[in-house]
Amino acid sequence: MAKKFIIGNWKMNLNVHESSLFVTKLAQEVPTFRDVTTVICPSFLALQPLSMQISHRQMKLGAQDCYWRDSGAFTGEISATQLRGLAQYILVGHSERRHVFGEDDRDIRFKVQAALRNGLSPVLCIGETSVERDNGDIEHTIDDQLVSGLLNIDSDQIDEVLVAYEPVWAIGTGETPSVKDIEQVVKIIRTQVAHMFGRDAGKKIRILYGGSVNLDNAGVFLGIKGIDGLLIGGMSLIAPEFAGIVKIAGELAKIEAKEEKND
Ligand code: PGA
């Protein structure tokens, strides 16, 4: 059955105390639906206290990044091994990691593998810059990032991977791609995954959209065929917006479940 994923990326916001207060608010407002997985990605520091605080039925926890070695002399880093038991998801290759911190394809590939090796689901973030879009390079960019990010994964691991399509120019800008453009990218992703891991994997891979999602446009993006969820930045820090988006996902999931039953 199709499940929807709503993932909130808090980025470098909220200290431990504020995170706890905010989660108390979310707990009151975020509805629980059988077919919606709601994930919040706070700072590393807040993962441990929040893991004790949240109802795991209502929300899951994700990390915003990880290092790809499991342990060792890597001052300041946090490994996927250390995140086990605290987070179930890890954002990998978020645009800010790629563009502010200079992560390259190799780092990202190793992080995807580290997440899987440690039993966590990587959310591989991909997306073109405005220059790549203006040059007509979207397909090429998406294919490259996917092939490189998913290289050397076994076909039995691909089910654990989520792909988030986030055009770099749409993140935090209020600009968003058209429905047609997103449909096109969904097709590119499914085709490439099918090519790498077989037709079934191409059909089943979970694809999220991210970039300037809010309560007003969430329904449009969630309604796009082949989109399984949303990755939300700014609006994940506003409880009524985030809760409202989860509600939209839940209502849509209910309608889809009914349609599936009637088929
Ligand atoms: P935004 O961020 O929703 O604020 O555009 C999305 C993201 O960075 O994942």
Side-chain angles (χ1 to χ4, degrees):
M1 174 171 303
K3 243 187 176 297
K4 306 266 179 234
F5 288 82
I6 303 295
I7 305 183
N9 174 12
W10 295 3
K11 309 193 179 183
M12 200 177 68
N13 294 294
L14 308 185
N15 64 26
V16 173
H17 180 61
E18 291 162 344
S19 299
S20 168
L21 289 178
F22 186 59
V23 154
T24 304
K25 237 188 189 171
L26 284 182
Q28 288 160 358
E29 298 192 29
V30 171
T32 305
F33 295 96
R34 199 189 53 191
D35 293 328
V36 180
T37 301
T38 302
V39 183
I40 52 170
C41 305
S43 75
F44 284 125
L45 289 171
L47 280 171
Q48 208 274 337
L50 293 191
S51 75
M52 319 271 281
Q53 188 184 340
I54 59 168
S55 144
H56 291 260
R57 224 174 70 79
Q58 185 180 30
M59 285 175 241
K60 315 275 183 227
L61 289 172
Q64 298 174 17
D65 185 31
C66 70
Y67 189 54
W68 53 270
R69 298 269 199 194
D70 288 341
S71 64
F74 304 102
T75 302
E77 292 298 316
I78 293 175
S79 70
T81 310
Q82 293 173 308
L83 291 166
R84 288 171 83 144
L86 293 180
Q88 281 176 257
Y89 297 85
I90 304 185
L91 305 183
V92 176
H94 185 278
S95 143
E96 285 141 26
R97 298 301 318 170
R98 291 179 194 259
H99 299 288
V100 182
F101 298 100
E103 282 187 13
D104 62 20
D105 288 340
R106 176 178 163 276
D107 297 319
I108 292 162
R109 168 160 72 248
F110 286 174
K111 288 181 179 194
V112 168
Q113 290 167 9
L116 290 169
R117 184 168 70 238
N118 285 285
L120 304 169
S121 289
V123 181
L124 173 63
C125 303
I126 58 174
E128 79 285 356
T129 61
S130 56
V131 173
E132 286 160 341
R133 176 195 59 185
D134 296 344
N135 290 343
D137 275 347
I138 296 183
E139 179 161 4
H140 185 221
T141 304
I142 297 296
D143 273 340
D144 266 8
Q145 291 178 349
L146 265 182
V147 170
S148 164
L150 301 177
L151 208 70
N152 297 337
I153 289 180
D154 296 338
S155 38
D156 60 339
Q157 292 179 308
I158 189 70
D159 286 353
E160 293 306 316
V161 177
L162 288 86
V163 174
Y165 170 53
E166 297 203 299
V168 177
W169 51 269
I171 295 177
T173 59
E175 273 187 76
T176 56
S178 68
V179 167
K180 225 173 121 222
D181 289 344
I182 297 175
E183 281 170 350
Q184 195 71 33
V185 172
V186 165
K187 210 165 134 200
I188 294 168
I189 295 171
R190 293 200 184 280
T191 306
Q192 185 56 252
V193 171
H195 187 68
M196 294 176 80
F197 300 97
R199 255 178 61 188
D200 204 38
K203 264 195 218 150
K204 284 204 317 216
I205 184 92
R206 276 91 41 100
I207 304 175
L208 316 185
Y209 168 75
S212 295
V213 174
N214 58 40
L215 192 50
D216 291 333
N217 61 22
V220 175
F221 298 129
L222 282 169
I224 296 174
K225 198 165 160 8
I227 286 289
D228 302 296
L230 302 170
L231 179 52
I232 302 163
M235 292 305 135
S236 70
L237 291 164
I238 301 175
E241 288 269 338
F242 190 66
I245 295 170
V246 173
K247 185 158 183 264
I248 293 173
E251 300 301 341
L252 260 169
K254 271 194 212 162
I255 294 171
E256 284 175 17
K258 243 190 217 156
E259 282 172 359
E260 264 176 39
K261 223 172 155 188
N262 293 339
D263 274 350

